[in-house]
Structure formats: C-alpha cells, structure tokens
Amino acid sequence: RTMQVSDKEQCSQELDLEEITRKISFLDKWRQIFSYHRLGANNTTLQNHEGNHITVDETEDGPGKPQPTGQGHLPSSSLCSIPKPSIISSKSGGFPISLAMAMKLRQSLFGNTIHVFSHDWKKAYFRFHDPFSDLAFALEVGKGGARSIQMAVQGSIIKYLLFTRKGKDCNFQSLCAISKQEQEQALAAALASIVWAAGAAEKATVCLVTEDTYITSTPDYPGDDFTERLQLFELVEKEATEKFIYDHLQSFKGEGSHGVILFLYSLIFSRTFERLQKDLDASTTHLLQPSAGGFLCRQAILNMILTGRASPNVFNGYQEGKSQEILHGVLTRSDVGYLQWGKDASEDDRLAQVGSMLKTPKLPIWLCNINGNPSVLFSTNRQLLSDWKAERRFDLYLYRGRPPQQKPVHLTVDTHSHHWERNQHEDEHGPGRRFSPVEMAIRTKWREATVNWNGTIPFL
C-alpha cells in the first residue's frame, strides 16, 4: 500500500513537471509574438539632448542588445497590447528635465515659478466610456480646468474615428461600435497629431514620469513630486510619435498618471519656449489663469491644441488692441474648429468674435465654449462645409462631457426655415421660450438657423 501511494506521488510530480514545462513553452511562444509585434518600436527614432539619434530598443533594453525586426505598425485587432506602467524606468533613454527647464515650464504656465497644479488637475487623465456603447468614442471628463483640454482632445479623437482612420464608415454607428483597442489607437493618434502640429511638423517631444528625481526643490522652485521626475523624448517623425505614445499610453490614460498634465507638458515642449513666446502677445503672457482655487486654460492653450500655434485670440490674423498693441489671432484653418457664446458677451466686442478660420474648419467638428462650459459639436458628413447645399438642413451631434449624459444629443439644423416656422419652434417648449445657449452658439456660425432637438429637452 505504501508502495502504491509512493507511485501515485511520483506520477503526480511528473504530471506537475510536464504541466509546468508546457506552460513555460506556451509563455515563450507568446513572448516571441509580442516581441515580434512590439509596435515597430525598434524602428522608432529618438533624439537626445545632444542631438544624437538613438532607438527605442537601445533606450529600453540597453544598447547593442539584438531585437527582433518589427513590422512598423500598430497591432492588428487579433493582438492586444499590454500597456506599460505609468512610471517608466529611468534608463528608458530620454533626457532628464533640468531645473532651468522646470522653471521655464512653470513660468510659461503660471507666470511664476511658485505655483503648482491644483488637485483637480493632478487627478485628470484620459479615460473613455465603455467600449461598444453609445459613448464608446467619448472621454469621461471631470471637473476643473483640465476639462477644456480633455474636450479639445475629444475633438481630435472624433476626427480620427470619423475621417482619418482607414477602412471605416463615416457614420454615427461606427463611433459607438469601437473596441477598447480602437479607443486606445484613437487616443494615441489624437495626442500624437496634436503635439506633432505644435512642433511645426518637424519634431515632437513626449514627457514621461520616471522612478528617479532629477532636480530638488529650491526657495524659488517648490517641487511637486512629479515634474522633477520627467524625462523628455524627442521624435522626428509623426508616425514614430504615434507609436511611441501608444507604447506608453498608460502614462496618459492610467488613473493617478497625471495624464492631462503630462500631455500639456508634452505640448509645450513640442512647441518650444521660443515659439511659444512668439505666439503670445501683450494680452497673454502665460497659459493658465487662477480661478476659485484652481486654474483655467487661457485661449492660447486651446488654440495650440486646435491649430498647433498658441494664438491668444480667436479672431483672424492680427488686430490692434485698445492700447494700439498688436494682438495675435488665428492664421490658418484647422481640422477642428471653435465656437463660443456667453450670456454676458458683447457682440460689439470685435476682439472677442470668433473669426472664420475657427468657425469654418476643414472638418465639421467644433470645440465649443458655451457659457464657460466646454463641449464638442460635430457632423458625420465630411462634405458639410464644402457643399452649400449640404448646409441647408443637416444633423449635428453634441457631446457635453458631463453626467448624466448617456448618449450624444442629436440636433437637426435648418438654415433656410421661414420666420413663422421659427416662431412656432420658439414656442415648442412653453410660452416665451428663448433660444438655449447651445442654439445661440450654433447661430454664431449659421445665423437665423433653427434647431430641432429631436425629442431632447433643450439645455438652458
């Protein structure tokens, strides 16, 4: 009997060893597959602060270590990418931030080197709603000043999903039928296109947080335990920028990652301090303004996201200010536009009027500032702004980014309705009803337009 038990134990041990060997072999197989499809990172060229070109392979795994040849594309739908941790190794190959750079960064943002980001900024990151849902294309947006940046990036995400990615239909249903991987690809593409444009389509700089601290606090520069751990990665191709961001997407979409601040840092370093100073004017010397214990984005940040240039104003070109100073506006049409309306705004203030460069973008997507609240308005018809017939009656979708919105609001805009139809529409939801702020913002682009809310109660 003892012998039988011993035989059983030996047999069980042999089975355990076989099982372990099989699992190791299985893991090796998948390790090879992931190595082979590592987003073409071995073809990604970086540039360090001395101007020397290095590859991501050298930065991540040490110089000279052989790597499998990548395919140079984002992973196919049959392969999932495992995001990297928010904090990367200090040996990743970027160059560390210096005290002088950190102080310039603070000065550009706050106008001094003492202020640090408020709590609502620190906890802001890029997170989507659930895949395969009515808001699968949309970011969850929190409170505070970072909301404006999240909604501006939302415009670029919609641009990618509707009009840029290949092999997909440009319809509203396609926005709701996207997977988690497609969400991540859209976010990487949006962030990359924005920082690449800010770098004048020549070079982008991506900031990541590492495990080491490179600068210490001084009386003139109180540390925030975040900025002091930055490494900067300079990329000289747009495609390489997108691959690099995708490979480190957890640094922007992970909870606790400071993802929005990291993106803002990347945007400023891509623009460079020299270009930024030329973009700004006497009306705007830094990018954030204090508000209720936090900070709000000035227009220069939003314009930098939309156009690549930190123009402080929304009018076209250059205009003379009240003190005869030259003020800087928008010089070119961008892919995503901008509309604004406020109940306290004066139509006589020419400097506050949005110019045609932003009102009529290349694609029918607008970041909107309505009574100080950011939202995104868009059409799925790419030809809307290039065919006057399409602008007679058309559909728009509105995403406000605020709960309890469960799906985009479907609006039908009629720019050729008759006056008696307008009067009937004004009375649709009660006597004396006035146009909602959303309708007023739409009418800054299409004057006298009427808006059918298709069953939704208009926002007041």
Side-chain angles (χ1 to χ4, degrees):
R1 180 169 180 155
T2 306
M3 194 71 171
Q4 288 177 345
V5 172
S6 178
D7 287 343
K8 285 182 180 179
E9 287 177 351
Q10 184 177 357
C11 181
S12 175
Q13 289 172 356
E14 288 175 355
L15 286 173
D16 288 344
L17 286 172
E18 288 178 4
E19 179 68 11
I20 290 169
T21 304
R22 187 183 70 79
K23 287 183 177 180
I24 290 173
S25 175
F26 181 78
L27 288 171
D28 282 341
K29 169 186 161 187
W30 280 103
R31 187 177 292 111
Q32 289 172 4
I33 292 173
F34 274 97
S35 236
Y36 185 74
H37 290 276
R38 40 194 306 262
L39 311 181
N42 49 308
N43 293 330
T44 301
T45 303
L46 306 178
Q47 193 176 47
N48 64 16
H49 62 295
E50 295 173 348
N52 300 321
H53 290 274
I54 54 179
T55 65
V56 173
D57 283 341
E58 292 174 340
T59 64
E60 292 183 354
D61 303 299
K65 185 172 180 178
Q67 294 292 328
T69 303
Q71 294 299 297
H73 55 73
L74 293 175
S76 66
S77 57
S78 63
L79 183 67
C80 295
S81 174
I82 301 174
K84 296 190 175 180
S86 298
I87 298 176
I88 66 168
S89 167
S90 298
K91 298 178 180 178
S92 294
F95 58 91
I97 192 168
S98 66
L99 179 60
M101 293 166 68
M103 292 183 75
K104 272 189 176 181
L105 188 60
R106 284 256 181 99
Q107 193 73 41
S108 299
L109 286 166
F110 304 108
N112 61 61
T113 61
I114 305 298
H115 282 154
V116 296
F117 280 104
S118 49
H119 177 68
D120 59 292
W121 276 88
K122 290 179 180 178
K123 69 179 184 180
Y125 60 101
F126 297 102
R127 176 175 63 181
F128 281 91
H129 286 271
D130 291 336
F132 303 109
S133 70
D134 288 335
L135 292 177
F137 68 94
L139 295 171
E140 292 186 13
V141 178
K143 298 179 180 179
R147 290 180 61 225
S148 297
I149 292 180
Q150 290 168 313
M151 292 304 285
V153 170
Q154 179 69 69
S156 288
I157 289 172
I158 293 171
K159 178 187 81 169
Y160 170 81
L161 291 173
L162 278 180
F163 305 121
T164 305
R165 63 176 178 158
K166 298 177 181 177
K168 297 291 182 179
D169 295 330
C170 296
N171 57 53
F172 180 73
Q173 287 71 29
S174 70
L175 291 179
C176 305
I178 64 173
S179 65
K180 184 173 184 290
Q181 184 183 355
E182 288 174 312
Q183 289 177 334
E184 292 175 348
Q185 290 173 345
L187 179 58
L191 297 181
S193 67
I194 292 168
V195 297
W196 183 252
E202 295 172 355
K203 182 173 66 175
T205 301
V206 179
C207 300
L208 300 177
V209 181
T210 68
E211 55 200 3
D212 289 347
T213 301
Y214 303 109
I215 54 181
T216 56
S217 297
T218 70
D220 294 327
Y221 179 87
D224 57 20
D225 193 35
F226 168 71
T227 308
E228 299 79 37
R229 296 188 286 139
L230 289 184
Q231 276 196 16
L232 283 64
F233 298 81
E234 294 183 343
L235 299 106
V236 294
E237 295 175 353
K238 183 179 180 180
E239 187 182 47
T241 305
E242 183 177 336
K243 291 171 186 172
F244 184 78
I245 290 176
Y246 187 95
D247 204 24
H248 298 87
L249 201 59
Q250 193 68 12
S251 293
F252 300 95
K253 75 179 193 71
E255 189 170 3
S257 65
H258 299 64
V260 171
I261 298 177
L262 264 186
F263 166 69
L264 181 56
Y265 283 176
S266 301
L267 188 65
I268 292 171
F269 279 117
S270 294
R271 188 62 188 155
T272 73
F273 296 118
E274 293 75 21
R275 287 197 196 103
L276 192 58
Q277 289 308 308
K278 291 179 181 177
D279 293 343
L280 301 178
D281 57 28
S283 70
T284 302
T285 56
H286 53 278
L287 300 173
L288 297 174
Q289 62 182 22
S291 174
F295 297 94
L296 297 178
C297 292
R298 295 182 186 269
Q299 189 65 41
I301 290 181
L302 303 182
N303 284 351
M304 185 158 46
I305 295 174
L306 297 175
T307 71
R309 186 173 175 269
S311 312
N313 300 287
V314 293
F315 51 74
N316 291 354
Y318 299 93
Q319 291 199 28
E320 193 174 274
K322 295 176 181 177
S323 302
Q324 297 187 330
E325 74 278 20
I326 300 299
L327 301 178
H328 301 172
V330 178
L331 301 181
T332 57
R333 289 174 70 199
S334 52
D335 289 337
V336 178
Y338 181 79
L339 299 175
Q340 71 178 14
W341 184 85
K343 60 183 178 181
D344 299 324
S346 169
E347 292 187 7
D348 297 329
D349 186 357
R350 61 183 174 84
L351 298 179
Q353 301 303 309
V354 179
S356 59
M357 294 295 186
L358 288 174
K359 276 188 185 179
T360 309
K362 296 177 184 177
L363 297 171
I365 308 169
W366 295 265
L367 172 66
C368 300
N369 178 356
I370 303 174
N371 280 331
N373 296 311
S375 56
V376 175
L377 197 66
F378 65 95
S379 168
T380 59
N381 179 7
R382 187 187 189 109
Q383 305 305 319
L384 176 63
L385 300 177
S386 56
D387 181 359
W388 64 270
K389 293 180 182 177
E391 287 190 85
R392 296 191 63 149
R393 182 181 174 86
F394 53 92
D395 293 327
L396 293 176
Y397 296 92
L398 175 71
Y399 178 57
R400 302 173 74 201
R402 291 190 294 174
Q405 185 172 7
Q406 301 294 321
K407 61 181 180 179
V409 178
H410 175 203
L411 307 170
T412 301
V413 179
D414 190 338
T415 60
H416 283 65
S417 61
H418 300 290
H419 65 87
W420 58 84
E421 294 173 319
R422 287 199 297 272
N423 293 337
Q424 181 182 10
H425 179 72
E426 288 183 27
D427 295 337
E428 182 180 343
H429 291 278
R433 175 186 172 263
R434 303 180 68 84
F435 287 107
S436 80
V438 172
E439 293 171 70
M440 295 303 293
I442 290 173
R443 286 158 71 98
T444 65
K445 165 64 179 166
W446 294 281
R447 294 181 65 86
E448 303 301 317
T450 59
V451 179
N452 184 343
W453 287 73
N454 296 308
T456 300
I457 297 176
F459 305 132
L460 298 178

